[in-house]
Amino acid sequence: MNYAIRRRMWSAALIVAFFLGWEVLCLALNVSDLVVPRPSQVMATLVARFPVLWPHIIQTLWTTMIGFGLGVAVGVVIGALIGTSRVAYDTAYPLLIGFSSIPKVAVVPIFVLWFGAGPVPAVLTALAMCFFPIVVNIATGLATTEPEMEDVLKSLGAGKMDLLLNVGLPRTMPFFFASLKIAATYAFVGTVLAETVASNKGIGNVMMSASSNFDVPLVFAGLFILAFLGVALYVLFSVIEGRVVGWANRRTDLSPS
Amino acid sequence: MNYAIRRRMWSAALIVAFFLGWEVLCLALNVSDLVVPRPSQVMATLVARFPVLWPHIIQTLWTTMIGFGLGVAVGVVIGALIGTSRVAYDTAYPLLIGFSSIPKVAVVPIFVLWFGAGPVPAVLTALAMCFFPIVVNIATGLATTEPEMEDVLKSLGAGKMDLLLNVGLPRTMPFFFASLKIAATYAFVGTVLAETVASNKGIGNVMMSASSNFDVPLVFAGLFILAFLGVALYVLFSVIEGRVVGWANRRTDLSPS
Amino acid sequence: MNPDLAQIAPERKRPAVQLSRASVAFGQGAERVQALQPTDLHLDEGEFLALVGPSGCGKSTILKLVGGLTRPSGGEIIVGGREVAARALRVGMAFQNPTLLPWLTIEQNVMLPLKIVRPFRQDYARKKRGEYRDRVHALLADVGLEKFAGHYPWQLSGGMLQRANLCRALIHEPSLLLLDEPFGALDQFTREELWGTMQDLWIKRRPTVILVTHDLKEAGFLGTRICVMSARPGRIIDDSPVTFPRPRTVEMTFQPDFVALNQRLRERIIDARGESARKVAS
Amino acid sequence: MNPDLAQIAPERKRPAVQLSRASVAFGQGAERVQALQPTDLHLDEGEFLALVGPSGCGKSTILKLVGGLTRPSGGEIIVGGREVAARALRVGMAFQNPTLLPWLTIEQNVMLPLKIVRPFRQDYARKKRGEYRDRVHALLADVGLEKFAGHYPWQLSGGMLQRANLCRALIHEPSLLLLDEPFGALDQFTREELWGTMQDLWIKRRPTVILVTHDLKEAGFLGTRICVMSARPGRIIDDSPVTFPRPRTVEMTFQPDFVALNQRLRERIIDARGESARKVAS
Amino acid sequence: QTDIRFTLGWKTQGSDAPILLAQQKGYFEEEGLNVTIDQGEGSAATVTRIMSGTYDAGFGDINAIIQNAAERPDQTPVMVYQLWNDPPFTVVTRKESGITTPADLAGKTLGGAPGTPTTKLLPVFARMNDVDLDSITIESLAPNLTEPMLIRGDIDGAMVFNITAWFNLINNRQDPAADFNWLNFGDHGLDLYANGVMVSQAMIADNPEAVTGLVRAINRAAVEIAQDHEAGVDAVLAFDNLANRDLEMARMMFSYENLIASDEVTRIGLGDLDDDRLSRAIDIVAEGYQLQTTPEAGQVFDRSFLPPLDDRQLVLAD
Ligand SMILES: Nc1ncnc2c1ncn2[C@@H]1O[C@H](COP(=O)(O)OP(=O)(O)OP(=O)(O)O)[C@@H](O)[C@H]1O
Ligand SMILES: Nc1ncnc2c1ncn2[C@@H]1O[C@H](COP(=O)(O)OP(=O)(O)OP(=O)(O)O)[C@@H](O)[C@H]1O
Ligand SMILES: Cc1ncc(C[n+]2csc(CCO)c2C)c(N)n1
Ligand SMILES: [Mg+2]
Ligand SMILES: [Mg+2]
C-alpha cells in the first residue's frame, strides 16, 4: 500500500517536473509564444476562455465517443474474423493496411461530400482512425492463442463461436485493452481532424480558427484539452482493465504479503 | 500446399472483387470523379504520370523509412522501460497518451519552424506518429509475461536486462510485429502529413497541389501509391515475422501430416 | 481368480471406441516424426482401459486421437459411431499438464463443460449460480479443493491443479473419459483415495475410460484391461484383461495375484522399451 | 547398516542452506492463505535432501524460497552466506511443470543457463556452436532426447519435456540443485535409470540438492536425508538421515532396512496429512 | 422555405460580415430561405464544394470558376454577386529583401498554401510580367506557416490574400505597412475579379427565386454594414464567439476599403461587374493556365439575380 502511494507520488512529481521543465526551457531559450507558448500561458488562456470553449469540448467529446464506440465494434468484429479465418486474413489485411497507410485528412473531404459538414464526417473519421489497432491486436491475439487452451474446449465438442468467446477473446483481452488505449487517442485525433476540415464546432474548429489567427496559446489550450480528454479516457479503461484482465498482470500482486 | 495456393487465390480474387465493386458502384451511381474517381481512372493517371511521380515516391519512401526506423528504436526503448518499471509506467504513460491524443498536424508547424521545411520535420512527424503503438504493445507484452517463464531465468541469477532480452522481448515478439504493422502505416501518414504542411517534394506535396488543381484522380493516385507502399512494408514484415515468431503461430502447421 | 466377478465386468458389447490402423506422424520430409505406428484398438462400452508404456511412445497421442484433437495420418477412428468423439458422445478429458484457463477461477474452470456441453449449456445461465455451482463445489470437496473454488490457477500448487483438472473432466458425467496421468503429481495417499473415488464413479455410471498411467498398481486397481505400448514409434504390444473383483481395495494390491500381474506387465514393458532403453542407460 | 559408508556421506559441514523461521503467506485479509508455517531448515554443503509431504503443503514454496523466487513473509533465508541464492551459488532448478521457453528449441532451452550464468556466459558467443553444444547434446543423450535437440517444446511429450527440464537444471553443473518432482511423468524404468544418473552425478560433483518427490523409494534411493512435511500450512514434522551405502542400486530398495524406512515414513505422512486427509476421503 | 447549404471561403472572418449579418438579422428568412452556413477551406475550395453537390452556394473565387468552367462546363457554379471588385492576390515580401517589382522575384523562394488562388495564379502573374517561373522556387506551406516563414526569412515572399496576410502579420507582432512590400496582382497586369457569392447551376435551374432572394439578402446586409460597422462585427461574433472583435472589425473595414469599394462599384453598384473587364480576366486566366477552351463570360457570371442598381449603392461611412 505504502509503496503504491509512494509510486504515485513519484510519477505525479515527474509529470509536474515535465511541465516545469517546459516552462523553464521556454524562458531560458526565450522561445516565442508564437511558436511554443509556456504552459502557464496556455493554462491562463484555458481558464480565461473556458466558458467559450466548453460547448466545443462537449461536441468533440460526444463525437469522439460515438466514433470510438463504433470503431471498437467494427474493430472487434473484423479482428475476430481475421484472427480466425485464413482467407479473411489474406483478403482483409492488405486492404486494411492499405487503407491505414492513407492519411485520413485525405478521406475527410470525401465524407464531407457525402454527408455534409458537421458531426457525421467527424464520427466516421474517428471510426476510421481508431478501428485498425483494435483489428490488429485482436487478430494477433487470436492467432497466437495456445492450441492447448483451445483443446480443452474442443474436446468438449465446442464450436468455433464457443472457442472464440471462451478462449480466444479472454486470452486476447490484455492486448485488446492495449489497443483500446491506442484507439481512444486516435479517435480524438480523427474527430479533431474532421472538425478542422469541415465543421463550425468542436476543438478542431477552435484550433483551426485560433491557428489561422495565430492565437498560438489558444491552439495549445486546445491541445491540452485533447490531451486531458485522452488521458481521462485512458484512466477509465485502465480501471476497467484492472478488473477484467487482472489475471494477466498478476506479477505485482504475486510477491507474498 | 495445395490448400495454401487455393487460399491465396481466393483472397486475391476477393481483393480484385473489391476494386471491381468500387468501379461498378461508381458507374452505377454515377459518382462524379471529383468526389471519388473510378479505380480505372486512378490507374490510368498513375501510369501516365508515373515518371513525374517517381522522385516523389522515392522521397516519401526514404523519409518514411528513416522516421520509421527511429520510431521503432524509440518505441522499443520506451516500451521496455515502461513495461519493466512501475514508476516509468505511471509517469510516461499519461504523458504519451496525452501526446498521442493530439493531432500531429498541429505539431508539424512547430517542427517546421524549428528545422525549416524539408525532410527533417517529415522524419520527425513519421517518428511521432509511429512510435506509440510500439510502446503500448511492447509494454503490454512485457507486463503480461508469465512470471513462471521469468522464474526460469531468475533462478539462474539473471539480471533485469537478461530477463528482458531472453524472456520479455521474445515473448512479446508477436505483439511487437503486430505493432510494427500498425506503425509502418502510420509512419507513411506522418510523412505525408508533414509534406502537406510544408515541403516542395514527396507524395504529400503532389497530393496537395493535385487537390488544389481539382485533379482528384491524381490525389487518388497518391493514395494508391501510399496504400501500395504500406502493403509492401507489411509484406516485408510478415516474411520476417514468419521466421522470427513462427513458434507463436504454430496452429496451422500443427495438424499431423 | 474370483469367478463371480464376471457379473460385474462389462457385459454389454457395443463398441465405444474403434481404432483401425490409426497412425500419426508429425512434420514433413526429414523432420518427420512417426508418433504412432498403425494401431488397432477396440473398446467396448463401459470398459476401463489402462494404457502404459515408456515416455514418448504415443499414449497422449492416442488419447488426442480418440478425443478428436489430432487427426490421424492414416487409418480411421470411430467413437460412438462417429468420427469426432465429442460430436457423438459426452467426452471428458484430463490433459497431461493441467491446462486450466488462467482467467477463470477454479470453480469457473471446472464449470466450463457445463457451459459448453449439451444438454447442460441450455440451462447454464439459469443454473450456474445454483445447481451447477453446488455440483462443482461438491466435486471439488471430493478432491480436497473446496476452499480453493474462488482461487485462480496460479494460486494453486501442482498437485492441486491436477486435481482441479480431473474435476473438469468429470463434472459433466461423460460417457467417455480420457485421462492422461491424472494422479501423477499426487502423493501416494491422496492418489489411493482418488483411485477409490474413481472406481466408485465408474461402478455407478459405467463410463468408457482410457487411463494413461505409469503406475502399474494404478492400472491394476482401476482397469478392466491393460494395454502396454512399445517405445516410440508406439504400437500396442500387450493387451491383458484384469479380472479382480470390484470394488477393489488397496489391500488387494498386495495379494499374490495382483503382484504376479504387475510382474508380468513389468517384463512386457522392459521388452517394450527395447532399443530406446539401451540408449537411455548412461 | 554398513559402517564404511560414513566416508562417502558428507563430511564437510559448511552450511549451504539455512531457513530460520521462514514463513510464507499469500494474499491479504480474508483472502490470506498461509502456504508455509515458520520453518527451520539447515542444509550442509553436499547434502541431498529429499522433501516429501501431501499435495499443497508447501514443498514447491520451500524450493522457491531457497531459489530466491519468493520472498518470505517472515523469517530469513540464507543460501551460501547470502540472501539471494543465485547471487551466492550456482543454482540449478527444475520446476514442477516444465516451463521451457516456447520460442527456443530443446537445445537452446537447455543451453540457457550457459548463456546466463557466470563464468559460462563470458564464452557463450564463442562456444555455443562448439563446446557448449556438445555438452548439451551429451546431456540430452543421457536422458534419451538426443534426437530431439532441434525440436520445439510443443513437439515433445510430457515426459520428454520433463527430461529436458531436468537437463536445463544440470547443464551448468550447479552447486545447489533444486528439483521439484523431476521424474514425475516418467515410467518406472526410465525413472530408475535417471535415479542412477542423478546419483552418479551427485557422487562425482557433490552438489547440495533438495529434491521434492512423492515417491518414498526415490527419496530413499537418492537422499542423504528425508524431511516429511505436514499438510497445508506446511511445517517439517520429520527429519531422518538415510545412511545406506553408495552407490545404491534398485535392488537395495527391496532390502528390509529400506522397506522399514519406507514404512516408517509412510506412517509419518499419514499423521502429516492429518485433517486434510479426512476431508479428501470421499 | 428553401434549404440552402452555404459555405464560406475560409474560417470566420470580418469580411464575411454581409453573409453573417443577413443570417443574424433574418434577411434570409424574410426571403423564405433557410440557410446553413459552414466555414470553408479556401476560396477555390468553395467551387469544388459546390460542384460536388455538398453545398448549394458559397463565398469564393471567380477565377476558380473560370478554371473549372473550361473543363466541366455543366458542373461549375455561377457567380451571382461579385462582392470583391479588386483582387486580394498579393506577393508580400520583407522590405529588406528589396523586392519591389515582379522582375525581382526571379531566383527567389516563394511560399504559399497550394489551394490559395494567389498561389494558383502565380504562373499567370509570372507570364504576364515576363518572369521566368522556373527560376522561382515554390514551397507549399500550410496557411498558418506562410507568414511565420516569411518573417523568419525561410522564404523571400509569401503568396497570400492581402486581407488575410495583413492581419496575420499584425498577429505576429509585425508592422505590415512599415516593414513589408506588397506586390498586388491587380497592380501588375492581373486586373482580375475575386470573391463573391456563387451558386450551383442546379439551384439556378430549379429555384431561381431562391437565388434572387439570397442575393437580395446579402446585398441588403452589405449595404447596411457600410453604414453600421458595429452591426457587421456583431454578426461575425454571433456566428463565432471565438473571433477577436477589434481584429475582425479592422478586417471588415479592410475588405470594404480595399477590395469592395472602387470607382467601378460606384458606377455599376455592388455585386455587378464590367463585362469587358471580365472577358479580359477570363482571357488572362485561360492563357495563364493554358486552358483548352476559353469559357464564355455568361458561363461564369449571371447578373440576372441582382437587385436594382439603386439598392446596390455603396456609401461607406467612416
Ligand atoms: N505436435 C507435435 N509435433 C511433433 N511431434 C510431436 C508432437 N506431439 C507429439 N509429438 C511426438 O510424438 C511422440 C509421442 O508423443 P506423446 O505425447 O503421445 O507421448 P506419450 O506416450 O504421452 O509420452 P509421455 O509419457 O512422456 O507423456 C513423441 O515422440 C513426440 O515427440
Ligand atoms: N501465488 C500464490 N498465491 C496464493 N497462494 C499460493 C500461491 N502459490 C502457492 N500458493 C498456495 O500455497 C500452498 C503451497 O503451495 P506449494 O506449491 O508449495 O505446494 P506443494 O507442496 O508444492 O504441493 P504439490 O505437491 O501439489 O505441488 C498451496 O496451498 C497453494 O494454494
Ligand atoms: C475568403 C478567403 N479565402 C481563402 C483564404 C485562404 N488564404 C488566403 S491567403 C492565405 C495564407 C495566409 O495568408 C490563406 C490561408 C482566406 N484567408 N480568405
Ligand atoms: Mg503424454
Ligand atoms: Mg509443488
Side-chain angles (χ1 to χ4, degrees):
Chain A
M1 269 301 123
N2 219 350
Y3 167 71
I5 291 173
R6 263 227 326 275
R7 219 182 57 207
R8 292 270 155 77
M9 302 261 290
W10 249 110
S11 52
L14 281 170
I15 290 174
V16 170
F18 169 81
F19 285 102
L20 268 181
W22 173 352
E23 181 91 23
V24 169
L25 221 69
C26 278
L27 284 171
L29 300 180
N30 202 9
V31 178
S32 160
D33 64 336
L34 287 171
V35 180
V36 179
R38 283 174 282 123
S40 60
Q41 290 175 306
V42 177
M43 288 311 292
T45 310
L46 199 55
V47 171
R49 306 277 216 119
F50 197 76
V52 187
L53 288 170
W54 182 241
H56 296 280
I57 297 178
I58 295 298
Q59 166 83 11
T60 299
L61 190 59
W62 264 113
T63 314
T64 307
M65 293 316 300
I66 297 172
F68 176 66
L70 293 175
V72 172
V74 172
V76 170
V77 169
I78 299 186
L81 213 71
I82 285 184
T84 47
S85 151
R86 221 23 238 207
V87 171
Y89 185 98
D90 285 348
T91 310
Y93 228 125
L95 290 176
L96 288 175
I97 290 278
F99 179 67
S100 170
S101 318
I102 291 173
K104 295 305 159 295
V105 224
V107 184
V108 181
I110 300 176
F111 290 153
V112 174
L113 293 180
W114 283 339
F115 305 103
V120 181
V123 166
L124 288 177
T125 315
L127 191 165
M129 288 272 312
C130 80
F131 83 101
F132 187 60
I134 300 178
V135 169
V136 171
N137 270 18
I138 293 253
T140 309
L142 291 179
T144 59
T145 299
E146 292 83 356
E148 290 81 13
M149 291 194 181
E150 299 197 335
D151 279 354
V152 169
L153 287 208
K154 278 192 195 152
S155 71
L156 296 168
K160 271 213 157 193
M161 205 60 196
D162 287 324
L163 283 181
L164 187 69
L165 292 179
N166 290 290
V167 183
L169 289 184
R171 212 220 65 137
T172 304
M173 274 297 134
F175 292 92
F176 173 61
F177 274 100
S179 70
L180 278 192
K181 291 173 195 166
I182 311 180
T185 66
Y186 289 163
F188 277 109
V189 174
T191 304
V192 170
L193 223 58
E195 287 170 350
T196 310
V197 175
S199 164
N200 304 313
K201 235 181 152 189
I203 307 285
N205 187 254
V206 170
M207 283 170 53
M208 199 59 190
S209 306
S211 97
S212 66
N213 280 324
F214 294 91
D215 188 350
V216 184
L218 186 56
V219 174
F220 271 76
L223 296 181
F224 273 37
I225 292 170
L226 287 175
F228 176 81
L229 291 179
V231 172
L233 221 57
Y234 158 74
V235 170
L236 181 71
F237 289 131
S238 294
V239 171
I240 301 176
E241 180 185 25
R243 282 159 202 248
V244 178
V245 297
W247 59 270
N249 286 67
R250 56 198 148 109
R251 201 162 359 170
T252 35
D253 311 284
L254 190 134
S255 53
S257 52
Chain B
M1 269 301 121
N2 219 350
Y3 169 69
I5 291 173
R6 261 227 328 272
R7 220 181 56 208
R8 291 271 155 77
M9 302 261 288
W10 248 111
S11 52
L14 281 170
I15 290 175
V16 169
F18 170 82
F19 284 102
L20 266 183
W22 174 350
E23 182 90 24
V24 169
L25 222 68
C26 278
L27 284 172
L29 300 182
N30 201 11
V31 178
S32 158
D33 63 340
L34 272 179
V35 180
V36 180
R38 282 173 282 123
S40 60
Q41 289 175 307
V42 177
M43 287 313 293
T45 311
L46 198 57
V47 172
R49 309 278 215 107
F50 197 75
V52 187
L53 288 171
W54 183 241
H56 295 282
I57 297 177
I58 296 296
Q59 166 83 11
T60 298
L61 190 60
W62 265 113
T63 315
T64 306
M65 292 317 298
I66 298 172
F68 176 65
L70 294 175
V72 172
V74 171
V76 170
V77 169
I78 298 186
L81 212 72
I82 285 184
T84 49
S85 150
R86 217 30 233 204
V87 171
Y89 185 98
D90 286 347
T91 311
Y93 228 125
L95 290 176
L96 288 175
I97 290 280
F99 180 67
S100 169
S101 320
I102 290 172
K104 295 305 160 295
V105 223
V107 184
V108 184
I110 301 176
F111 291 152
V112 174
L113 291 178
W114 279 341
F115 303 103
V120 181
V123 165
L124 288 178
T125 314
L127 192 165
M129 287 276 307
C130 80
F131 83 102
F132 187 62
I134 300 178
V135 169
V136 171
N137 268 20
I138 294 253
T140 308
L142 290 179
T144 57
T145 300
E146 292 83 357
E148 290 81 13
M149 292 196 181
E150 300 197 335
D151 279 354
V152 169
L153 287 207
K154 276 193 196 153
S155 72
L156 296 168
K160 271 211 157 192
M161 204 61 194
D162 287 324
L163 282 181
L164 188 68
L165 292 178
N166 290 291
V167 183
L169 288 184
R171 209 218 68 133
T172 305
M173 274 298 134
F175 292 93
F176 173 61
F177 274 99
S179 71
L180 278 191
K181 290 173 196 166
I182 311 181
T185 65
Y186 289 164
F188 277 109
V189 174
T191 305
V192 170
L193 222 57
E195 287 170 352
T196 311
V197 171
S199 78
N200 45 33
K201 233 182 156 185
I203 308 283
N205 186 259
V206 171
M207 282 170 54
M208 202 62 189
S209 53
S211 95
S212 72
N213 281 324
F214 316 109
D215 189 351
V216 184
L218 187 55
V219 175
F220 270 76
L223 296 181
F224 272 36
I225 292 170
L226 287 174
F228 175 80
L229 291 179
V231 173
L233 221 58
Y234 158 74
V235 170
L236 181 71
F237 288 131
S238 292
V239 171
I240 302 177
E241 179 185 25
R243 281 160 202 248
V244 178
V245 297
W247 60 268
N249 286 68
R250 57 197 147 107
R251 199 155 6 160
T252 36
D253 312 282
L254 190 135
S255 52
S257 50
Chain C
M1 271 177 241
N2 198 323
D4 62 29
L5 63 93
Q7 60 191 104
I8 299 171
E11 278 304 275
R12 298 159 297 167
K13 285 284 176 193
R14 275 213 281 154
V17 175
Q18 174 84 50
L19 271 70
S20 319
R21 298 201 55 73
S23 68
V24 176
F26 293 97
Q28 232 107 30
E31 286 275 287
R32 193 179 170 87
V33 174
Q34 187 80 24
L36 189 68
Q37 282 188 345
T39 299
D40 288 314
L41 181 65
H42 176 104
L43 237 74
D44 287 326
E45 227 173 64
E47 266 195 289
F48 197 128
L49 173 72
L51 197 59
V52 300
S55 172
C57 69
K59 302 181 294 296
S60 301
T61 302
I62 287 190
L63 285 202
K64 284 191 192 152
L65 275 177
V66 173
L69 298 176
T70 300
R71 265 173 296 138
S73 311
E76 204 180 24
I77 293 115
I78 303 288
V79 178
R82 293 258 234 142
E83 282 217 45
V84 180
R87 297 275 151 76
L89 299 177
R90 212 185 283 165
V91 179
M93 192 155 176
F95 294 85
Q96 186 164 11
N97 37 2
T99 38
L100 298 176
L101 304 183
W103 50 88
L104 299 181
T105 60
I106 298 305
E107 176 183 322
Q108 290 165 332
N109 262 295
V110 172
M111 213 184 276
L112 209 52
L114 302 181
K115 190 172 171 189
I116 302 295
V117 172
R118 253 167 273 273
F120 302 98
R121 70 183 295 164
Q122 275 91 325
D123 301 329
Y124 181 73
R126 195 156 47 81
K127 296 189 178 168
K128 69 180 167 187
R129 289 181 202 289
E131 192 186 317
Y132 288 178
R133 208 186 88 101
D134 296 344
R135 187 163 168 171
V136 168
H137 280 245
L139 191 57
L140 284 175
D142 278 354
V143 300
L145 288 180
E146 66 278 31
K147 277 206 201 137
F148 292 86
H151 282 60
Y152 283 91
W154 52 273
Q155 298 178 309
L156 265 60
S157 78
M160 290 155 90
L161 286 176
Q162 214 178 23
R163 285 179 272 159
N165 192 36
L166 181 64
C167 289
R168 189 174 57 192
L170 299 175
I171 188 73
H172 54 305
E173 304 192 335
S175 56
L176 174 62
L177 255 175
L178 306 169
L179 307 175
D180 204 343
E181 297 188 47
F183 313 116
L186 300 174
D187 59 298
Q188 194 57 35
F189 300 96
T190 311
R191 191 181 293 206
E192 284 167 6
E193 275 164 14
L194 290 180
W195 291 353
T197 313
M198 194 72 227
Q199 171 170 257
D200 293 348
L201 190 142
W202 181 78
I203 292 179
K204 209 163 67 199
R205 310 204 53 257
R206 280 295 171 94
T208 313
V209 185
I210 306 182
L211 169 79
V212 170
T213 179
H214 287 306
D215 187 338
L216 294 179
K217 225 162 120 181
E218 185 170 304
F221 184 99
L222 284 170
T224 57
R225 183 175 154 198
I226 300 179
C227 283
V228 179
M229 289 184 69
S230 73
R232 186 177 60 82
R235 193 162 47 84
I236 294 175
I237 52 161
D238 189 286
D239 192 338
S240 330
V242 186
T243 47
F244 305 110
R246 305 252 184 195
R248 300 174 188 160
T249 59
V250 177
E251 286 70 47
M252 239 179 211
T253 61
F254 300 109
Q255 288 174 4
D257 270 9
F258 199 101
V259 175
L261 174 68
N262 262 14
Q263 203 54 42
R264 204 178 64 70
L265 288 172
R266 251 192 141 70
E267 274 150 30
R268 292 302 288 133
I269 296 175
I270 293 180
D271 300 352
R273 301 181 70 229
E275 198 200 356
S276 85
R278 256 163 269 144
K279 269 187 233 130
V280 174
S282 54
Chain D
M1 271 176 244
N2 201 322
D4 63 27
L5 64 92
Q7 61 190 101
I8 300 171
E11 277 305 272
R12 300 157 299 169
K13 284 286 176 192
R14 277 212 279 152
V17 175
Q18 175 83 50
L19 271 69
S20 319
R21 299 202 55 71
S23 68
V24 175
F26 292 97
Q28 232 108 29
E31 286 274 288
R32 193 179 171 87
V33 173
Q34 187 81 25
L36 190 68
Q37 281 188 345
T39 300
D40 289 314
L41 181 66
H42 176 105
L43 236 75
D44 286 327
E45 228 173 61
E47 265 194 289
F48 197 128
L49 174 71
L51 197 58
V52 298
S55 173
C57 71
K59 302 180 296 296
S60 300
T61 302
I62 287 191
L63 285 203
K64 284 191 192 153
L65 274 175
V66 173
L69 298 177
T70 300
R71 267 174 294 136
S73 312
E76 206 180 23
I77 293 112
I78 303 289
V79 179
R82 293 256 233 140
E83 281 217 45
V84 181
R87 296 275 150 76
L89 299 177
R90 211 185 284 164
V91 180
M93 193 154 174
F95 295 86
Q96 186 164 9
N97 35 3
T99 39
L100 299 176
L101 304 184
W103 51 89
L104 299 181
T105 60
I106 298 305
E107 177 183 322
Q108 290 165 333
N109 262 295
V110 172
M111 213 185 272
L112 209 53
L114 303 179
K115 190 173 173 187
I116 301 296
V117 172
R118 250 166 278 273
F120 301 99
R121 68 183 293 164
Q122 276 91 325
D123 301 329
Y124 180 74
R126 194 157 47 81
K127 296 189 178 167
K128 69 179 166 187
R129 288 180 204 288
E131 193 187 317
Y132 288 178
R133 209 188 88 100
D134 297 343
R135 188 164 167 170
V136 167
H137 280 244
L139 192 56
L140 284 176
D142 277 355
V143 300
L145 289 180
E146 65 278 29
K147 279 206 200 136
F148 292 87
H151 282 60
Y152 284 90
W154 53 272
Q155 299 177 307
L156 266 59
S157 78
M160 290 155 92
L161 286 175
Q162 214 179 24
R163 286 180 269 160
N165 191 37
L166 181 65
C167 288
R168 189 175 57 191
L170 298 175
I171 188 72
H172 55 304
E173 303 192 338
S175 55
L176 175 61
L177 254 176
L178 306 170
L179 307 176
D180 203 343
E181 298 188 45
F183 313 116
L186 301 174
D187 59 298
Q188 193 58 32
F189 301 95
T190 312
R191 191 182 293 208
E192 283 167 7
E193 274 164 14
L194 291 180
W195 290 354
T197 313
M198 195 72 227
Q199 171 170 259
D200 294 348
L201 188 143
W202 182 77
I203 292 178
K204 208 164 70 200
R205 311 203 53 259
R206 276 299 169 94
T208 313
V209 185
I210 308 182
L211 168 80
V212 170
T213 180
H214 287 306
D215 186 338
L216 293 179
K217 224 162 121 184
E218 184 171 304
F221 184 100
L222 285 169
T224 59
R225 183 176 154 198
I226 300 179
C227 283
V228 179
M229 290 185 69
S230 73
R232 186 177 59 83
R235 194 161 48 85
I236 294 175
I237 52 161
D238 189 288
D239 191 340
S240 331
V242 186
T243 48
F244 305 110
R246 303 258 184 191
R248 301 174 189 160
T249 59
V250 176
E251 286 69 48
M252 239 180 209
T253 61
F254 301 109
Q255 288 173 4
D257 270 9
F258 199 100
V259 175
L261 173 70
N262 262 13
Q263 204 52 45
R264 203 178 63 70
L265 289 173
R266 255 194 137 68
E267 274 150 29
R268 293 300 288 132
I269 296 175
I270 293 180
D271 299 354
R273 302 182 68 231
E275 197 200 355
S276 84
R278 255 162 274 142
K279 268 187 232 128
V280 174
S282 52
Chain E
Q1 283 263 328
T2 309
D3 288 330
I4 295 179
R5 291 161 299 169
F6 191 101
T7 173
L8 298 177
W10 191 239
K11 310 302 144 193
T12 332
Q13 302 187 113
S15 45
D16 298 319
I19 299 139
L20 300 176
L21 184 75
Q23 171 85 322
Q24 191 214 4
K25 287 245 172 125
Y27 298 164
F28 289 139
E29 236 168 281
E30 286 176 29
E31 303 289 349
L33 304 177
N34 175 28
V35 181
T36 355
I37 300 174
D38 285 331
Q39 297 180 333
E41 295 173 87
S43 303
T46 298
V47 175
T48 9
R49 281 183 164 199
I50 297 175
M51 283 203 292
S52 67
T54 319
Y55 289 89
D56 308 305
F59 186 63
D61 179 28
I62 195 170
N63 302 293
I65 300 183
I66 298 170
Q67 192 192 349
N68 275 286
E71 285 169 31
R72 305 167 198 275
D74 337 315
Q75 291 172 296
T76 38
V78 178
M79 185 66 84
V80 289
Y81 188 77
Q82 182 61 49
L83 188 59
W84 289 1
N85 198 269
D86 283 323
F89 317 135
T90 304
V91 172
V92 58
T93 57
R94 273 166 300 124
K95 274 261 159 70
E96 58 265 34
S97 56
I99 297 169
T100 50
T101 66
D104 296 337
L105 292 176
K108 295 290 196 289
T109 303
L110 299 185
T116 300
T118 314
T119 315
K120 298 181 62 180
L121 287 167
L122 188 79
V124 186
F125 181 68
R127 191 180 289 262
M128 290 296 290
N129 291 283
D130 288 326
V131 181
D132 179 12
L133 188 63
D134 292 335
S135 77
I136 301 175
T137 312
I138 292 184
E139 293 266 13
S140 295
L141 294 174
N144 61 349
L145 272 174
T146 42
E147 287 84 7
M149 293 291 270
L150 176 67
I151 295 164
R152 289 161 45 92
D154 287 328
I155 53 177
D156 301 307
M159 298 171 282
V160 297
F161 279 21
N162 53 13
I163 187 173
T164 312
W166 187 274
F167 298 98
N168 284 351
L169 288 170
I170 292 176
N171 280 330
N172 277 286
R173 298 179 203 132
Q174 305 290 314
D175 184 341
D179 298 332
F180 293 87
N181 286 333
W182 301 79
L183 269 184
N184 191 287
F185 285 9
D187 301 336
H188 293 90
L190 268 66
D191 188 20
L192 306 173
Y193 287 104
N195 285 20
V197 178
M198 56 181 74
V199 298
S200 66
Q201 289 183 27
M203 188 171 164
I204 290 177
D206 302 343
N207 201 346
E209 305 82 54
V211 180
T212 313
L214 182 77
V215 173
R216 188 157 47 217
I218 292 174
N219 177 65
R220 184 174 164 195
V223 172
E224 204 173 301
I225 291 167
Q227 285 303 313
D228 184 358
H229 309 326
E230 295 296 330
V233 188
D234 286 344
V236 172
L237 267 95
F239 180 72
D240 183 353
N241 57 7
L242 283 161
N244 176 327
R245 187 183 178 88
D246 295 340
L247 183 83
E248 297 311 337
M249 169 64 99
R251 201 194 307 263
M252 188 180 78
M253 292 319 293
F254 189 104
S255 72
Y256 270 91
E257 286 161 6
N258 297 308
L259 302 176
I260 300 175
S262 72
D263 296 341
E264 189 181 297
V265 165
T266 317
R267 191 158 41 81
I268 62 176
L270 279 168
D272 205 350
L273 49 66
D274 181 286
D275 286 327
D276 292 335
R277 189 178 156 206
L278 177 60
S279 298
R280 265 177 280 130
I282 292 175
D283 288 338
I284 294 171
V285 174
E287 198 208 319
Y289 287 131
Q290 318 234 280
L291 298 180
Q292 304 300 323
T293 57
T294 307
E296 296 296 317
Q299 271 177 274
V300 175
F301 181 75
D302 187 344
R303 64 165 53 78
S304 55
F305 304 99
L306 292 174
L309 179 61
D310 286 349
D311 296 345
R312 295 189 282 110
Q313 291 301 332
L314 173 70
V315 185
L316 195 56
D318 298 317

